[in-house]
Amino acid sequence: MLNKAMSNKCFLTILLMNFSSFVFSNPNIVIILADDLGWNDVSFHGSEIPTPNIDRIVKAGIELDRFYVQPTCSPTRAELMTGKSALRLGITRPISKNQKLGLSTKEKILPQYLKELGYKTFLLGKWHLGAYTPEYFPTRRGFDYFYGYLSGGVGYWDHNHGGGHDWQRNEVTLRETGYSTHLLEADAVRIINEHDFNTPLFLNINFNAPHTPNEAPQATIDSFSELGNTNREFHAAMVFEMDQSIGKILSALEKNGIIENTIIFFASDNGGLTPNPEIKPTFLKLPKTLGLCNLERPIGLKQIEFICSHFDGSSSNEPLQLGKMSVLEGGIRVPAAVWWPNHLENGQIQSFISMVDVLPTILDLAGVDSLESMSFDGRSQKDVLFGNKPIKESNYVVANIYNDTFAIIDSPYKLIISDRKTELYNILDDPTERIDISNSEPEITNRLFAAFNNWPKGVNRALSTKDVFLDPDTFGGKEDRLPYVEQAFKNAKEQTKSH
């Protein structure tokens, strides 16, 4: 009898120890970002493009139905890494390959926080937060490992950007064949299979799909021939290939038995690039108007190719208006979800959540107990995700710096400010933004306008439009300069000499 009691006691002790270990061990964290994925580019929104694996994350997890980002890539990624407003950071447009200032090295970013919690940190794919000198590299900013590219976009097969080769592993240029989506998938699966999960994993996978250039395996393109539009066929193929890769990453998590202790967050970095984007000044549309964009690429003049690449997009954000680069809903409201099996499951949240909320939410879910002492513009949405008492939603400011247009959101209201003109919309009642209520709601209009004027705005770190245009950021194409890793080290030496 005594032996049986002791046996039961030992069994209970072991059970409690294992349960305690499961409850209090840091969950693995996997962040997957698509690049320029439209609202209507996913089948759970009714798209003709099948995305079963993205749909799985959404349906098994918590769909974030009103998730907001910046209308272009670098600003959104800066917010994800810092939990701070892009305007505060001074990053309001995509970082050019020749831009000397990236995301300030004084900013503490997500992998640095997670390393303090014992995580091993990996980044695959797109960085786009600075590369002029090595101090901006992700491997100098808290990532233990980086495989991918530094710029805003590369050719899917040649891995080139703006005349330079931009593909590396841990600060060493790589020359390898393969479709970039497949290469990123293979490395993610390898990392998961080889990782020792006694150490929690942070894996950030930033696909370049479905960002231009329009490139995909021919068999996949052919499978969408019924769409009847060449660019849409390419776009659908790029989305589908990315979705298949996401499926293989999820399978790797399952096969290794760790998916139930893994938080998976998925989103697009901005709205999809539509065939007729919002571009000003209007003279930039001349190459398309004159039919130059219909010529076979390469055209020969990089400036023309750069402009034409903005009209190669074939995303759909319907029923939302416009897309990438616009502060209207099509540019900033994106597909998103978070899934933590047995914890965050089978739901949809209509609450307003933005990219600045992601970092504090992840730290909260990972067990950080001192969030109040940290300086973020976003708020942890942990209680909202778990269906507890909702907290006050954060205000959010977005910027389309290309035509000097801004918007401030205080849900359900959104004030658009441009050319000394203001428009107010109730985006809950009017998600397609057809009814301007600024005249009928002067108090709300004035309150939001004042809030925007008081919003912290950092010094703009961008390269001038003129300088970008002189040496544009084209995607793919021939090389005419050093690979970007080597160029960064060269820039650093030259800066040292000049000082």
Side-chain angles (χ1 to χ4, degrees), residues 237-251:
M238 293 190 289
V239 172
F240 182 76
E241 289 290 349
M242 176 182 66
D243 183 82
Q244 293 296 294
S245 291
I246 290 171
K248 291 175 183 177
I249 293 166
L250 295 178
S251 294

Side-chain angles (χ1 to χ4, degrees), residues 441-462:
E441 298 287 355
E443 184 178 339
I444 296 170
T445 299
N446 292 335
R447 174 173 62 81
L448 290 183
F449 190 78
F452 170 75
N453 284 334
N454 291 326
W455 194 268
K457 302 175 182 69
V459 176
N460 186 3
R461 302 175 73 81

Side-chain angles (χ1 to χ4, degrees), residues 224-237:
F224 289 100
S225 59
E226 74 282 357
L227 296 180
N229 177 290
T230 301
N231 278 350
R232 185 64 173 169
E233 291 165 16
F234 273 95
H235 185 82

Side-chain angles (χ1 to χ4, degrees), residues 36 71-72 212 231 271-282 284-285 288 293 306-315 317 321-328 330-331 400 402-403:
D36 295 4
T72 55
T212 54
N231 278 350
L273 180 64
T274 61
N276 294 295
E278 187 178 58
I279 296 179
K280 293 182 181 179
T282 53
L284 290 176
K285 295 186 178 182
K288 180 176 175 63
C293 296
F306 176 63
I307 293 172
C308 287
S309 70
H310 288 78
F311 298 100
D312 287 339
S314 193
S315 189
N317 301 298
Q321 283 204 70
L322 295 180
K324 180 178 181 178
M325 297 183 285
S326 172
V327 301
L328 293 181
N400 177 359
Y402 290 102
N403 61 3

Side-chain angles (χ1 to χ4, degrees), residues 403-473:
N403 61 3
D404 208 28
T405 303
F406 301 87
I408 181 167
I409 302 172
D410 185 2
S411 185
Y413 299 107
K414 174 171 151 186
L415 184 71
I416 297 175
I417 304 162
S418 64
D419 299 325
R420 299 181 182 178
K421 175 185 175 183
T422 58
E423 303 165 73
L424 181 68
Y425 298 96
N426 184 319
I427 52 178
L428 288 183
D429 296 340
D430 178 26
T432 58
E433 297 167 293
R434 304 292 181 183
I435 305 170
D436 177 8
I437 59 173
S438 57
N439 290 331
S440 60
E441 298 287 355
E443 184 178 339
I444 296 170
T445 299
N446 292 335
R447 174 173 62 81
L448 290 183
F449 190 78
F452 170 75
N453 284 334
N454 291 326
W455 194 268
K457 302 175 182 69
V459 176
N460 186 3
R461 302 175 73 81
L463 198 64
S464 72
T465 302
K466 176 185 175 183
D467 288 333
V468 173
F469 193 69
L470 288 174
D471 187 11
D473 291 73

